[in-house]
Amino acid sequence: MWPNSHGAARAKACGCAPSGRPPARAGRAGRGTSPAGNLYISTLVRVRPGEPSPATLALVAAVALEEAVSLFGVQPMLKWPNDLLVDGAKLSGILLERVEDAVIIGFGVNLAQHPVDLDRPATSIAAHAPAPDPQVFAEALAEIFARWLSRWRDGIAPVRDRWLARAHPGYRAHRAAGGRQLDGGAVRRARCAGRAHPALGRWHYPCHSRGRRVPALKGRQMLLAVDAGNTNVVFALVEDGEIRARWRIATDPRRTADEYAVWLNQLLNLEGYDRSVVTGVIIGIVVPRALHNLQVLSSKYFKTEAVIAGQGSAEWGFPLDVEEPGSLGADRALNMIAGHARHEGDLIIIDFGTATTFELVDYKGAYKGGIIAPGINLSLDALVTAAAKLPRIAISAPEKTSVVGRNTVDQMHIGIYWGYVAMIEGLVARLKAEVGRPLKVIATGGLAVLFEKHTSVFDTIEPDLTIQGLAMLWERSQQGN
């Protein structure tokens, strides 16, 4: 990377002398300046045959810059196509220029100060956290950009997933997927005038695009994501990355495709959907005997062959740094795909289901290992089954924090609930001590909210992480189709 020198990058790209054209920090209409303590830096990427569209390097640059900024205590969001926002104010921008077989990428980041005389709000890292040294920030950005560039060379899907996970809510639906270029002005005029345009399909383009060229978007599709677990099978209707509806039914390998169809068709109708809206099906499964009937459901009633998570075009796509990678359950892998796409840094992902699993995912997205413990309901069932005089009780978050039980039911409740909280906190503490780096703790699964009230060990709770992982894996599997 070249600090303050877009011209140097251009000269290297074409093998000529610097042209004297404006550097990356000039921004649109030459409005940018270069105040002390901020960072303006350029890099050059040679595009090889067979790699994704060069235009999608904008996504690589954006997710790399977002991750670098996050390391210094600020959580920005991405605005299509090339801005980072904090509380609605612009923190940084990115410019791309194509020169022969290369793309020059210029980054401008307000580290120490920001302009106050622009026609829209601006901000800086210093306005929210201590300003990093420009050299330190540049080194971090270079390392992160190299990592995301390597992923991009293998396929755009992981980069796109990350961009969508970090996108400003108003821009997520615009689906920053790579593809052929369209005339942004024509698209914008058609969209904002309420007219049809051949490129739009049933998707929306942003009216704020100001006539810029934007990538083509796929036609709208509604995905049926199926998470077949040991206890329940969850069906979710996903559109534009958003879960529109979800239903669950007890797992029974003997249930036929026809039985699923009768039940599911009624639920679709209750939600106002027809079965024909489903254009794709993906199945994540940990009960192999249930797979065949779910595949028949997809082909017979939804007229599409189901994609099976972890197989064929839907392989996991991240390193499994463990002794027995083939034994990893689909639900655990899907949690890691979504967790890494939505959160930066090293992660502990805890899934509260039939079993309670702890996954350790490093900042590169590699699975480093984990823990499997009996689920809280499974523990209670074992206790009640083995002890004849103990009653069956319901597990809920207690109103009191006392651990001195005055009767049998209270004592059981304390032992199960607070014992489980102690296990969670103790295992997380041991994992953090062993890793020796900051770890973000994500809780998921239907029972995660049960513990939220009485422990501060979770950094966030995402109950639909497995379904989100299925949706991301589906998108990835469709590349090239």
Side-chain angles (χ1 to χ4, degrees), residues 58-68 78 144 148 159 162-163:
L59 306 184
V60 179
V63 299
L65 185 56
E66 182 274 333
E67 184 175 336
L78 298 172
I144 294 169
W148 280 107
V159 180
R162 179 67 173 228
W163 195 98

Side-chain angles (χ1 to χ4, degrees), residues 56-66 84 94 96 105 107 141 145:
T56 60
L57 283 168
L59 306 184
V60 179
V63 299
L65 185 56
E66 182 274 333
L84 266 67
I94 301 165
L96 272 70
I105 304 173
F107 300 89
L141 176 59
F145 179 82

Side-chain angles (χ1 to χ4, degrees), residues 78-435:
L78 298 172
K79 171 190 170 185
W80 178 259
N82 56 8
D83 292 344
L84 266 67
L85 305 181
V86 178
D87 297 331
K90 183 173 179 178
L91 174 72
S92 60
I94 301 165
L95 278 179
L96 272 70
E97 179 180 354
R98 182 74 181 265
V99 179
E100 298 180 358
D101 67 339
V103 175
I104 302 169
I105 304 173
F107 300 89
V109 192
N110 297 329
L111 302 180
Q113 49 188 306
H114 59 273
V116 295
D117 56 349
L118 300 181
D119 58 359
R120 56 180 174 176
T123 190
S124 61
I125 290 180
H128 305 272
D133 177 81
Q135 182 63 34
V136 172
F137 187 93
E139 291 174 357
L141 176 59
E143 188 277 330
I144 294 169
F145 179 82
R147 170 158 44 86
W148 280 107
L149 180 63
S150 177
R151 294 179 181 177
W152 173 85
R153 293 194 190 280
D154 293 331
I156 186 62
V159 180
R160 185 191 59 228
D161 290 347
R162 179 67 173 228
W163 195 98
L164 290 170
R166 295 296 188 273
H168 187 281
Y171 298 88
R172 284 177 182 154
H174 303 317
R175 307 302 303 277
R180 62 187 177 84
Q181 294 292 302
L182 301 174
D183 184 290
V187 168
R188 177 179 179 271
R189 288 190 293 273
R191 169 70 179 94
C192 295
R195 299 193 302 270
H197 186 281
L200 292 176
R202 296 172 65 192
W203 290 59
H204 289 169
Y205 275 75
C207 291
H208 55 268
S209 62
R210 302 182 185 175
R212 296 192 293 273
R213 295 170 69 85
V214 296
L217 303 180
K218 292 182 178 180
R220 177 185 179 185
Q221 59 180 242
M222 299 192 76
L223 172 68
L224 183 64
V226 184
D227 172 25
N230 289 299
T231 304
N232 293 308
V233 182
V234 177
F235 294 80
L237 199 59
V238 183
E239 181 183 29
D240 299 351
E242 299 292 331
I243 298 173
R244 303 302 186 192
R246 67 175 66 74
W247 312 278
R248 67 180 61 231
I249 190 170
T251 301
D252 183 351
R254 298 169 301 174
R255 184 171 284 115
T256 67
D258 300 328
E259 290 175 304
Y260 279 122
V262 170
W263 172 80
L264 192 56
N265 195 55
Q266 290 177 330
L267 292 171
L268 283 164
N269 291 338
L270 286 173
E271 295 285 348
Y273 297 106
D274 184 80
R275 196 171 69 232
S276 62
V277 302
V278 174
T279 58
V281 176
I282 184 169
I283 301 171
I285 193 160
V286 297
V287 185
R289 288 177 55 213
L291 177 58
H292 174 72
N293 287 328
L294 290 169
Q295 290 177 300
V296 173
L297 169 72
S298 177
S299 60
K300 182 177 181 180
Y301 290 98
F302 295 104
K303 310 304 180 185
T304 184
E305 294 300 316
V307 172
I308 310 303
Q311 300 180 17
S313 62
E315 291 183 352
W316 302 132
F318 61 88
L320 302 177
D321 187 13
V322 291
E323 294 177 359
E324 299 176 335
S327 65
L328 180 66
D331 51 348
R332 303 172 73 184
L334 292 164
N335 288 340
M336 287 184 272
I337 289 171
H340 179 64
R342 295 172 64 84
H343 301 276
E344 69 280 346
D346 297 273
L347 306 174
I348 297 173
I349 302 174
I350 309 175
D351 188 353
F352 295 91
T354 305
T356 295
T357 57
F358 297 69
E359 320 300 350
L360 182 60
V361 184
D362 73 8
Y363 69 96
K364 296 181 180 179
Y367 175 45
K368 308 301 288 186
I371 299 167
I372 302 174
I376 189 168
N377 283 326
L378 193 62
S379 300
L380 179 59
D381 287 344
L383 177 64
V384 172
T385 299
K389 295 188 67 175
L390 293 182
R392 182 169 296 277
I393 63 172
I395 295 296
S396 60
E399 295 298 324
K400 301 177 181 178
T401 58
S402 173
V403 292
V404 179
R406 303 283 290 174
N407 56 64
T408 299
V409 170
D410 285 350
Q411 291 168 6
M412 290 177 64
H413 202 169
I414 290 167
I416 291 291
Y417 184 87
W418 290 111
Y420 219 80
V421 169
M423 182 197 74
I424 296 165
E425 294 175 340
L427 290 177
V428 168
R430 285 177 175 270
L431 285 169
K432 288 184 174 181
E434 186 168 335
V435 172

